[in-house]
Amino acid sequence: MKKIIFLFLFAITLGSCEDFLNTTDLVRRNDENFPLTRAELDNALAGCYAPLNSGSVQGNNPHFCGTIISDECFGNGGNGDIGWQAMDKLLRTGDNNYSGGWSVFYQGIFRCNGLIESITTNTNIQFASTDDHDQLLGEVYALRAYYYFSLAKMFGSNIPLRLKPGVENLPAANADELYAQIGDDLNNAVSLLPNKSFQAAGPSNLGHFTRWGASALTARVFLFYTGYYKKTDLPTLSGTISKSQVITLLEECISSSGHSLLPDFRNNFLYANTLTRPDYKYSRDNNLDWAGDAGANTEAVFRIKYSIYLDNRWNIFFGIRYANKKTYFPFRGGWGAASVNPLFFQQWLADEPTDIRRNGSILDLDDPNEDMEYVWGGDQGEETGYVIKKLQGVNAYDANRKIVNYTLLEWGGNDWESSNASDQVMIRFSDVLLMHSELTGNATGLNLVRARVGLPPVPYSLPAIQKERRYELAFEGCRYYDLLRWYGADAGTIIDANQNGATYYRIGNAKIMSVNLTKRIPETGGFLEIPKTEIDLSEGVLKQNPGWELSDILFLP
């Protein structure tokens, strides 16, 4: 516990006043005097969610890294943004490339640990009801599981398992220990969170973990752990979670959550908003209508909430590099991360030529139907002419026909870069349906997802579910980790086959993509480099991940 510390000489003088020396700090909030009331617990819960919004983690999370390392995208950015280009190839440019994600996720874990201790040990806090107590505690368990699973996907199991508010120099856990804690937290979350529709929870709870978000996350964790580590069940601290139990959780989500597929796939994404639609041919021709960030978006099972007061630069990371507002209307532009692999676009066209998701997910900058004039040859490292349409920030015209950031026009604010107030949806209902089909071997969920975009039904097979996940969930951080769980060390051969030989442009000069993940994934297990600062702080207790101490893995553009 944090105490007021006095000078040694003063302590001798007042040596008999032990109680005085241990006086609680009544001036500053710390883990001894906060939280002490129910209202303060809500403030502490907000603090547990806050790391999800951190600008430091938006380029250092499994969604971002998994999209770039997969066969969907190249690293791109400016010619000098070699960190993203190195990430794409599991190479390195420095000692601490992924320190942002590591430190911010552990910050979230530290806060969750403290709040769990406060809820479970402070008997003086008065809750409105048992349900009130259970919902709060369930959310914190789900959040801690989310943070640990994020770390596990990025860095593998070679991470310390911290479960107390204090600071300890702990060695890395093994995979079974780590996933048993994640499984236990999710078990607790599902059992504590209320079994009611997300609509009944009310708009103030959007962005909070619900029973359904925790259930969907359990399925994701189960599929990755059992697939990658070749296990049958997901462990907990007191038993296991079986496949049949996960299927039951998904079936409850499908039948009772209130979540459903939106009628039009494209209405999940910001470019479909009604303020932009009158001046954007694609949206206007297809009569799109963005479901938005409120309760009308029935497909958002778990989302990260943003507002004009939070530093959301997610859309800026993936924005068209050096986009001119008029030339590229309605897209806002940004830093150009994750140019789309042109071979992915072409494969999708060959596999499903009528699939509306292709042009709803990928922006072909030379497509005349997009009504824009793309200028090739700017300061880009891996330019392809294709960008992630799903994740673009967008503009609209104000009343004076001036082009402005859509979110500024809708909600206010004044900062071009950080005021992207649209939420980041991390788990969609379509993923719930696809995970259910994969776990049951039943094509029902798979074909509901296909029917939504006008595609005919198909019989269930693993290749069918693999293809459907690839296209439905493109650029949503799933593809790379799907490949790891399906193929393990051989995932690199799939990625190399699907992107090597593609043409890209470095400052206007044509290049041919050549990646060797066939070599790097077996060397690294598919996981990233642990920041050296963390190893140094542990005084060597924490060890570097395999494959990251080799002499030939520096990225040279």
Side-chain angles (χ1 to χ4, degrees):
M1 293 295 183
K2 186 177 180 182
K3 307 290 185 182
I4 295 180
I5 300 174
F6 292 86
L7 293 176
F8 179 71
L9 181 60
F10 192 49
I12 293 175
T13 305
L14 300 176
S16 63
C17 303
E18 182 178 350
D19 290 341
F20 175 71
L21 290 175
N22 287 330
T23 297
T24 302
D25 185 346
L26 299 177
V27 178
R28 293 167 296 182
R29 286 183 171 180
N30 55 62
D31 59 2
E32 187 176 77
N33 64 26
F34 177 85
L36 296 178
T37 67
R38 180 63 185 85
E40 288 179 345
L41 287 179
D42 281 335
N43 291 336
L45 179 63
C48 292
Y49 278 100
L52 295 173
N53 306 110
S54 171
S56 298
V57 81
Q58 288 177 39
N60 279 274
N61 64 62
H63 188 153
F64 185 89
C65 299
T67 296
I68 285 180
I69 303 171
S70 77
D71 51 7
E72 299 170 328
C73 293
F74 305 152
N76 200 36
N79 185 46
D81 294 330
I82 59 175
W84 298 339
Q85 296 163 41
M87 181 191 298
D88 180 40
K89 302 162 185 64
L90 286 181
L91 300 177
R92 66 191 301 270
T93 60
D95 291 334
N96 297 293
N97 290 344
Y98 308 106
S99 59
W102 180 284
S103 61
V104 171
F105 288 137
Y106 269 114
Q107 179 188 72
I109 289 165
F110 179 85
R111 294 177 180 181
C112 289
N113 289 341
L115 186 51
I116 288 170
E117 183 174 276
S118 293
I119 297 170
T120 56
T121 64
N122 191 336
T123 58
N124 293 320
I125 298 176
Q126 299 298 311
F127 290 89
S129 63
T130 301
D131 290 345
D132 178 37
H133 169 278
D134 289 353
Q135 174 156 344
L136 181 63
L137 187 56
E139 286 188 47
V140 188
Y141 278 128
L143 265 174
R144 187 167 70 177
Y146 183 90
Y147 288 132
Y148 266 125
F149 186 46
S150 296
L151 286 164
K153 287 196 291 185
M154 291 178 69
F155 300 104
S157 63
N158 189 26
I159 59 176
L161 189 56
R162 305 187 187 282
L163 300 172
K164 298 178 180 178
V167 177
E168 298 177 87
N169 190 10
L170 299 174
N174 62 47
D176 290 343
E177 292 170 336
L178 176 61
Y179 278 90
Q181 185 61 55
I182 295 172
D184 206 68
D185 281 352
L186 288 170
N187 230 3
N188 287 331
V190 171
S191 65
L192 289 165
L193 290 167
N195 186 353
K196 61 182 180 182
S197 71
F198 86 95
Q199 292 95 338
S204 64
N205 283 307
L206 294 175
H208 289 243
F209 261 107
T210 64
R211 178 186 177 93
W212 318 117
S215 296
L217 182 59
T218 302
R220 279 194 175 180
V221 172
F222 179 91
L223 284 166
F224 185 80
Y225 174 78
T226 57
Y228 185 86
Y229 294 101
K230 308 304 179 189
K231 304 286 186 174
T232 302
D233 299 324
L234 175 65
T236 68
L237 298 181
S238 58
T240 60
I241 299 173
S242 67
K243 178 193 285 190
S244 62
Q245 288 173 298
V246 177
I247 290 170
T248 297
L249 292 180
L250 293 177
E251 288 174 348
E252 290 175 349
C253 182
I254 292 167
S255 64
S256 304
S257 68
H259 290 292
S260 61
L261 295 176
L262 295 175
D264 193 311
F265 164 84
R266 296 164 293 192
N267 287 341
N268 280 289
F269 310 112
L270 185 58
Y271 61 77
N273 77 81
T274 55
L275 294 180
T276 297
R277 182 177 64 197
D279 300 290
Y280 179 34
K281 183 178 184 300
Y282 178 87
S283 183
R284 188 174 64 249
D285 288 352
N286 291 288
N287 195 32
L288 301 184
D289 188 3
W290 181 46
D293 291 337
N297 190 346
T298 61
E299 198 158 339
V301 177
F302 178 63
R303 66 180 87 187
I304 298 174
K305 291 294 292 181
Y306 286 101
S307 77
I308 60 173
Y309 305 107
L310 295 172
D311 184 24
N312 176 12
R313 304 194 176 195
W314 189 252
N315 301 131
I316 301 298
F317 273 107
F318 296 106
I320 307 167
R321 191 167 180 82
Y322 294 120
N324 175 281
K325 290 183 180 180
K326 292 184 178 178
T327 304
Y328 301 108
F329 184 88
F331 300 104
R332 296 186 50 232
W335 300 330
S339 56
V340 175
N341 171 12
L343 298 183
F344 176 43
F345 184 90
Q346 293 160 20
Q347 184 64 57
W348 197 340
L349 181 62
D351 282 348
E352 301 282 8
T354 64
D355 191 346
I356 64 169
R357 293 175 299 188
R358 184 182 57 257
N359 290 96
S361 302
I362 301 173
L363 176 62
D364 176 357
L365 291 164
D366 284 339
D367 183 353
N369 291 318
E370 293 288 357
D371 195 25
M372 57 182 63
E373 298 177 8
Y374 181 61
V375 180
W376 288 78
D379 175 24
Q380 298 197 56
E382 293 169 339
E383 180 183 24
T384 66
Y386 298 96
V387 298
I388 303 173
K389 190 173 186 177
K390 283 181 175 181
L391 301 176
Q392 293 295 308
V394 297
N395 291 315
Y397 284 97
D398 67 12
N400 298 315
R401 298 300 291 172
K402 177 183 177 182
I403 295 175
V404 298
N405 178 350
Y406 160 77
T407 59
L408 300 184
L409 187 61
E410 179 73 14
W411 294 299
N414 56 21
D415 182 78
W416 184 84
E417 286 190 348
S418 62
S419 293
N420 294 289
S422 56
D423 295 345
Q424 183 182 346
V425 177
M426 304 306 293
I427 304 177
R428 289 195 291 118
F429 187 70
S430 58
D431 191 15
V432 171
L433 294 172
L434 292 174
M435 289 191 292
H436 184 264
S437 276
E438 185 172 356
L439 286 164
T440 61
N442 184 302
T444 300
L446 164 67
N447 284 324
L448 286 172
V449 172
R450 289 178 61 82
R452 195 251 297 261
V453 292
L455 295 176
V458 295
Y460 179 83
S461 67
L462 181 59
I465 202 75
Q466 289 174 328
K467 185 174 76 170
E468 207 60 36
R469 288 186 65 83
R470 187 183 189 193
Y471 297 146
E472 172 68 24
L473 303 174
F475 319 119
E476 296 182 38
C478 296
R479 173 67 175 172
Y480 178 61
Y481 302 104
D482 280 348
L483 291 172
L484 284 181
R485 67 182 177 87
W486 287 326
Y487 297 104
D490 292 331
T493 63
I494 306 295
I495 297 173
D496 289 352
N498 287 340
Q499 66 181 17
N500 283 347
T503 301
Y504 68 94
Y505 295 84
R506 185 178 297 279
I507 321 181
N509 298 310
K511 305 283 185 179
I512 301 298
M513 181 56 66
S514 178
V515 176
N516 195 358
L517 292 184
T518 299
K519 174 176 180 286
R520 287 297 290 148
I521 286 182
E523 289 175 345
T524 63
F527 300 122
L528 300 175
E529 179 183 23
I530 293 175
K532 186 175 182 298
T533 52
E534 301 300 330
I535 296 173
D536 291 343
L537 285 170
S538 77
E539 298 180 336
V541 172
L542 185 62
K543 306 299 182 185
Q544 184 55 266
N545 271 336
W548 288 101
E549 293 181 337
L550 303 176
S551 60
D552 61 345
I553 58 172
L554 286 174
F555 175 70
L556 299 174

